[in-house]
Amino acid sequence: MSEERVLIGIIGGSGLYALDNLTVLRTVNPLTPWGHPSAPITIASLPSGTQIAFLARHGHGHTIPPSSVPSRANIAALKSLGVAAIISFSAVGSLREEISPGSFAIPSQIIDRTKGVRKGSFFEDTSVVAHAMFGDPFSSKLTGWLAPKVEKALEEEGKGKKLFTDKTVVCMEGPAFSTRAESVMYRQWGGDLINMSVLPEAKLAREAELSYALICMATDYDSWRPQSDAVTAHDVFQVLHDNSATAKLVLSKILDDLQADLIADGVKESLLQEVGGMKFSIMPRSVKQKQEDRDKLAYILPAYFSDLEDAVNFSPYP
C-alpha cells in the first residue's frame, strides 16, 4: 500500500471524467487482489495543496458499461492510497416531477434492482463470511456535512439549480433504460431517482470501512411521464455537459473544507463513522478459513486480517 495518504476520493460517472483547475501530481494504477481499477487514478492538488484521488468509473472515454465496472478493484485501489472518504457522482433519471433535469440530489436510501451479475462483496468467493450493516447505505455524517455546502455552492452559481436530500435512488441493471411500467412501479415503491452504478459501489465502500456519499445529477425524467417521450441517451448527454460543469464548481468549493474537517481532532471520528463497523460483521475465525483469503482481505481490512501481533494497535484514521 502507498505510504502517502490521500484522504479524499472522487469517483466520476457519466459526464464527469476529469476535474479542472487542479495540478496533476501523478497517476497510479494499483494492482489490487481484484484487478486494476476502471482507469489509472489521478492524484491531483488543489491550489491550497489539498490532494484528491480522482477515478473515472467508466474508464477514460467511457468504455465500460455499468454491469462491467470493476467496482471491487475501484474501491480497493482508493483504500490502498489512504482514501478515507469517497464522494461519488452519478447521472440519474428523476422519478419525481419536482426533481427536474439539471437538479442535484444527495440520496439517503437505495432500492436494489440489479440482477446478481455484478460482484457485490469483497468476501464473495472466499472462505470468510461477513454480513455488513447496510440499513443506512450512505454515510449519514458525510451526507449531512455535504448537503448545506453543496446547496450553498449551487446558490452561488446562480443558475437556479436545486438540491434535494433524503431521497431514494433505485439502482437498475441496465444497460437499457426502464420500461414505462417499470418506471411507474419504482415511483410506487417510493423511488425518487434511478441510476445504474451506485451498487455494488456503496456496499463495497461499507465493507472497506470508507465513508461514502453519492451526489446525483438529474438528466431526465426516466419513462414514467405519459406526456413525454421515453428517455434516450441523446437526451441524457445534452444535460450532462452543463451538470458536469456545475459538479466541478461544487467540488472546487467543498474539497478544502472537507480535507480540513477530515484531519481535525474530534471531527474525523464523526465524519469517518464507518471505521470499525466491520468488527462485528465478520464471522469468527475458524480452521476452515483459508490463509490466502485472509491475506487477500487484509488489503482492505488490515485491522482484522493482517495477522500481525500489533494489529490491535492499527489505527484506520488519518
Side-chain angles (χ1 to χ4, degrees):
M1 292 193 180
S2 172
E3 294 182 358
E4 296 185 26
R5 303 295 303 274
V6 181
L7 300 181
I8 303 170
I10 306 296
I11 299 180
S14 299
L16 187 62
Y17 307 115
L19 298 178
D20 300 329
N21 301 320
L22 295 176
T23 300
V24 175
L25 303 177
R26 63 189 183 279
T27 58
V28 294
N29 193 24
L31 176 59
T32 77
W34 299 273
H36 287 289
S38 297
I41 298 171
T42 300
I43 308 299
S45 173
L46 276 69
S48 63
T50 294
Q51 292 187 24
I52 61 98
F54 180 83
L55 172 62
R57 180 188 292 115
H58 298 286
H60 295 319
H62 202 121
T63 58
I64 305 173
S67 300
S68 300
V69 171
S71 295
R72 293 191 294 184
N74 288 349
I75 298 299
L78 290 172
K79 179 73 181 278
S80 77
L81 298 173
V83 164
I86 294 175
I87 300 176
S88 178
F89 282 83
S90 174
V92 300
S94 169
L95 298 173
R96 301 294 164 186
E97 188 72 39
E98 65 272 19
I99 307 177
S100 58
S103 300
F104 278 57
I106 300 177
S108 58
Q109 281 296 323
I110 303 171
I111 294 174
D112 187 356
R113 284 285 291 165
T114 60
K115 299 178 180 178
V117 300
R118 310 177 185 197
K119 297 292 186 180
S121 172
F122 288 113
F123 296 85
E124 194 169 340
D125 303 322
T126 75
S127 57
V128 181
V129 176
H131 302 281
M133 294 180 292
F134 205 59
D136 298 300
F138 302 102
S139 172
S140 60
K141 298 289 186 180
L142 182 57
T143 56
W145 183 97
L146 280 171
K149 296 182 182 296
V150 172
E151 188 169 38
K152 181 180 178 181
L154 292 177
E155 290 175 355
E156 291 178 356
E157 185 187 33
K159 293 184 177 180
K161 294 185 178 181
K162 294 182 179 180
L163 174 69
F164 296 85
T165 59
D166 198 27
K167 299 301 180 183
T168 295
V169 57
V170 177
C171 186
M172 62 179 293
E173 189 62 58
F177 293 121
S178 308
T179 66
R180 291 190 186 275
E182 288 169 335
S183 193
V184 170
M185 178 181 68
Y186 297 147
R187 280 167 47 83
Q188 294 171 343
W189 284 359
D192 303 296
L193 312 159
I194 184 165
N195 84 346
M196 301 178 188
S197 58
V198 70
L199 293 175
E201 199 171 86
K203 287 184 177 180
L204 295 166
R206 180 61 51 84
E207 288 185 350
E209 297 188 341
L210 298 176
S211 292
Y212 177 91
L214 179 70
I215 297 180
C216 299
M217 305 176 290
T219 58
D220 58 87
Y221 275 120
D222 203 46
S223 300
W224 60 270
R225 298 169 92 220
Q227 71 272 27
S228 300
D229 292 334
V231 63
T232 68
H234 180 264
D235 298 332
V236 169
F237 279 93
Q238 281 190 314
V239 182
L240 272 179
H241 179 74
D242 186 55
N243 271 6
S244 65
T246 301
K248 293 173 184 178
L249 175 66
V250 167
L251 284 173
S252 71
K253 292 181 177 294
I254 68 174
L255 290 178
D256 281 332
D257 287 345
L258 179 57
Q259 172 82 0
D261 282 354
L262 283 174
I263 63 177
D265 290 338
V267 178
K268 63 185 179 183
E269 286 84 357
S270 62
L271 282 180
L272 305 181
Q273 67 189 95
E274 280 67 39
V275 175
M278 291 296 291
K279 181 177 182 180
F280 300 108
S281 299
I282 302 168
M283 300 302 290
R285 184 171 184 174
S286 74
V287 295
K288 297 294 186 180
Q289 289 183 2
K290 299 177 182 178
Q291 187 59 44
E292 59 264 34
D293 292 336
R294 294 181 61 83
D295 293 342
K296 184 177 184 179
L297 292 166
Y299 191 87
I300 55 161
L301 294 170
Y304 311 123
F305 295 105
S306 62
D307 290 332
L308 298 176
E309 291 182 1
D310 61 348
V312 292
N313 298 318
F314 172 81
S315 175
Y317 291 117

